[in-house]
């Protein structure tokens, strides 16, 4: 990829490790000299602006395929997002590259006639993840990537805050830098706490800790979510005290990669805070454990959440940066297939069905058992080459890092329906379908019961939020990820379609700490 850094800033970006003293993809790393000119480049506004923009390198790059410095980032919008989507069973992935196949390896499938089918190779997902959670597994250890990228962001943002101590700049400029740092730390802690059982607390940056001595302070995933919320609280306080919004927005906009067609301003940042707060609550709480007070909080936050996708944190493809290293391109390369369980959740007459999916006889569909690896990976449909979610054209498709309009509206829809405002909730559901041009009739005024309304919202979340890496969170909070789904659509070995199968997933609800961390940084027994 073409770096988005000035060379001097790029060296420092690649000089640290996330929280450990070894790297699973390269166990013979030469030491890097964090020389003074590199540190000095962070002492002026232009240098720190370039460095701040470098957060995107850990969010989007495909450097895992290149030998660049001591670190190799992963293409997050391909690997990490793909793992989440396969565990949420909106995508399937049968290939062993980068451990992807084993992340969505189900326990068993019971077909319509009662026949139980187990995977022809390997066992259920928890065991396969454990087998590969070693340094010797190299790039096949799928659980390493999100950890590494998120802790890289945390160290990056800690460094930004440390640099502010001696930065000659006006208050609005300093506020913008600190806001950028707080937002991405909140985001990174949210993602870590939403997928790993434990994490480390790393509060130092490259200025105070130039040799990246790792933190040994492990905490539970609950504490990681608390830390995310604390950063959001600090950010909200900061934004409420900004006195020059125009100057703040000008500097904050400069941290976004220049080609992005939307950049978040101070008002939109406040909305993103509220939607991320909802994520932290809803995605880490089982539906059965949510209280009326919790849902009331969701409504309050959602009313002030992301109100337009123009104000969301996004990525768009661009050949000199992200190129093909994300889902909208990789699915066309047969990396991921649309799950038949997603297909069955699409309502008849939904225009998105024909827009997104195709049965292409030239590709031999249906495809029941890719390379004999199991019917759990079967697929009846493939992707349209150009659609509302898939394209190889620059800037044509967006992917979302945090909240979006649709996600916020569906949070409101669910919260209102669950608190007996069914019509109010359905209005939010209809707004999402209208925005995405589903051409489905409105649900408001159709007399749906609470259960029927919740089922429409569940299905809508799977389609409307496709490629946004929230499907696993939903499957977990519904109790499906660690359990089963009945009445499922599954292709058998011969490509015959079963419509009342049972899929026993048995997935881990939270991942263990990656071995490249735990091998060098012992987890306290109290957290094991």
């Amino acid at each position: 990829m073409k770096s988005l850094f000035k060379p001097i800033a790029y060296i420092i970006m690649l000089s640290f490790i996330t929280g450990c003293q070894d790297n699973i993809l390269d166990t013979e790393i030469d030491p890097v000299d964090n020389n003074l000119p590199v540190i000095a480049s962070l002492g002026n506004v232009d240098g720190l602006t370039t460095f701040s923009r470098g957060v995107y390198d850990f969010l989007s790059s495909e450097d895992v395929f290149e030998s660049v410095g001591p670190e190799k980032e992963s293409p997050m919008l391909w690997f990490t997002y793909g793992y989440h989507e396969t565990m949420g069973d909106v995508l399937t992935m049968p290939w062993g590259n980068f451990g992807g196949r084993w992340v969505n390896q189900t326990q068993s499938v019971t077909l319509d006639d009662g026949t139980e089918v187990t995977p022809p190779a390997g066992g259920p997902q928890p065991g396969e993840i454990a087998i590969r959670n070693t340094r010797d597994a190299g790039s096949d250890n799928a659980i390493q990537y999100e950890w590494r990228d998120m802790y890289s962001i945390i160290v990056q943002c800690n460094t930004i805050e440390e640099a502010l101590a001696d930065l000659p700049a006006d208050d609005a400029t300093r506020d913008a830098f600190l806001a950028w740092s707080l937002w991405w730390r909140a985001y990174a802690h949210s993602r870590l706490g939403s997928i790993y059982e434990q994490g480390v607390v790393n509060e130092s940056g490259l200025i105070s800790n130039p040799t990246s001595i790792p933190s040994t302070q492990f905490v539970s995933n609950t504490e990681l979510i608390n830390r995310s919320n604390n950063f959001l609280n600090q950010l909200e306080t900061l934004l409420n005290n900004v006195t020059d919004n125009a100057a703040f927005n000008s500097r904050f906009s400069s941290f976004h990669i220049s080609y992005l067609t939307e950049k978040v301003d101070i008002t939109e940042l406040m909305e993103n805070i509220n939607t991320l707060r909802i994520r932290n609550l809803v995605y880490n709480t089982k539906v059965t454990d949510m209280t009326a007070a919790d849902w009331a909080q969701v409504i309050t936050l959602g009313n002030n959440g992301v109100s337009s996708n123009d104000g969301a944190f996004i990525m768009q493809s661009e050949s000199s940066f992200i190129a093909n290293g994300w889902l909208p391109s990789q699915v066309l390369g047969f990396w991921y297939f649309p799950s038949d369980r997603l297909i069955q959740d699409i309502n008849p007459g939904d225009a998105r069905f024909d827009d997104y999916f195709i049965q292409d006889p030239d590709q031999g569909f249906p495809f029941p058992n890719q390379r004999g690896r199991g019917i759990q990976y079967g697929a009846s449909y493939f992707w349209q080459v150009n659609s509302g979610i898939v394209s190889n054209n620059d800037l044509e498709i967006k992917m979302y890092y945090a909240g979006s309009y649709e996600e916020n509206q569906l949070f409101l829809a669910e919260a209102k329906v669950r608190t007996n405002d069914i019509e109010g909730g359905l209005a939010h559901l209809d707004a999402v379908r209208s925005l995405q041009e589903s051409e489905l009739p409105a649900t408001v005024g159709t007399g749906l019961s609470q259960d029927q309304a919740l089922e429409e919202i569940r299905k809508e979340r799977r389609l409307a939020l496709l490629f946004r890496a929230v499907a696993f969170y939903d499957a977990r909070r519904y109790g499906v990820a660690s359990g089963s789904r009945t009445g499922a659509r599954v292709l058998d070995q011969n490509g015959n379609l079963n419509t009342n199968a049972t899929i026993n997933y048995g997935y881990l609800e939270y991942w263990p700490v990656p071995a490249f961390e735990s091998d060098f940084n012992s987890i306290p027994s109290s957290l094991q």
Side-chain angles (χ1 to χ4, degrees), residues 513-528:
V513 174
F516 77 82
E517 181 77 53
S518 58
D519 280 359
F520 299 93
N521 199 358
S522 299
I523 304 171
S525 58
S526 61
L527 290 176
Q528 293 179 353

Side-chain angles (χ1 to χ4, degrees), residues 320-475:
S320 67
F321 181 49
I322 197 171
N324 294 324
W326 69 336
L327 288 177
S329 293
Q330 290 304 327
V331 297
L332 293 175
F334 278 70
W335 197 267
Y336 298 99
F337 298 84
S339 163
D340 269 319
R341 275 66 64 194
L342 169 65
I343 296 298
Q344 78 179 77
D345 283 335
I346 301 174
N347 286 318
D350 194 320
R352 291 170 292 185
F353 181 81
D354 289 331
D355 181 30
Y356 297 172
F357 310 109
I358 187 172
Q359 279 189 313
D360 186 352
D362 293 336
Q363 304 294 354
F365 282 94
F367 200 178
N369 183 15
Q370 291 93 324
R371 295 187 184 176
R373 294 179 177 181
I375 62 173
Q376 67 269 24
Y377 305 121
S380 299
Y381 286 81
F382 198 57
W383 310 95
Q384 294 280 11
V385 173
N386 286 292
S387 70
I389 57 172
V390 170
S391 175
N392 283 319
N393 298 329
D394 283 358
L395 305 182
E396 191 164 293
I397 303 296
K398 302 174 188 174
M399 288 185 71
Y400 296 83
Y401 289 119
S404 62
Y405 172 81
E406 295 97 322
E407 187 179 3
N408 194 75
Q409 289 293 303
L410 291 171
F411 279 140
L412 285 168
E414 184 174 355
K416 289 184 178 181
V417 171
R418 290 191 184 277
T419 52
N420 298 312
D421 180 7
I422 296 173
E423 291 296 288
L426 291 176
H428 296 290
L429 170 69
D430 289 342
V432 171
R433 290 178 172 176
S434 177
L435 178 72
Q436 294 196 352
E437 300 180 343
S438 72
E439 299 181 12
L440 290 172
T443 58
V444 169
T446 58
L448 294 183
S449 67
Q450 184 181 54
D451 287 343
Q452 289 170 330
L454 289 173
E455 175 63 2
E456 287 302 306
I457 293 167
R458 182 196 68 82
K459 294 190 297 184
E460 185 62 30
R461 288 186 61 88
R462 288 172 62 76
L463 182 59
L465 304 181
L466 189 60
F467 290 3
R468 303 193 190 183
V470 299
F472 171 65
Y473 300 148
D474 280 344

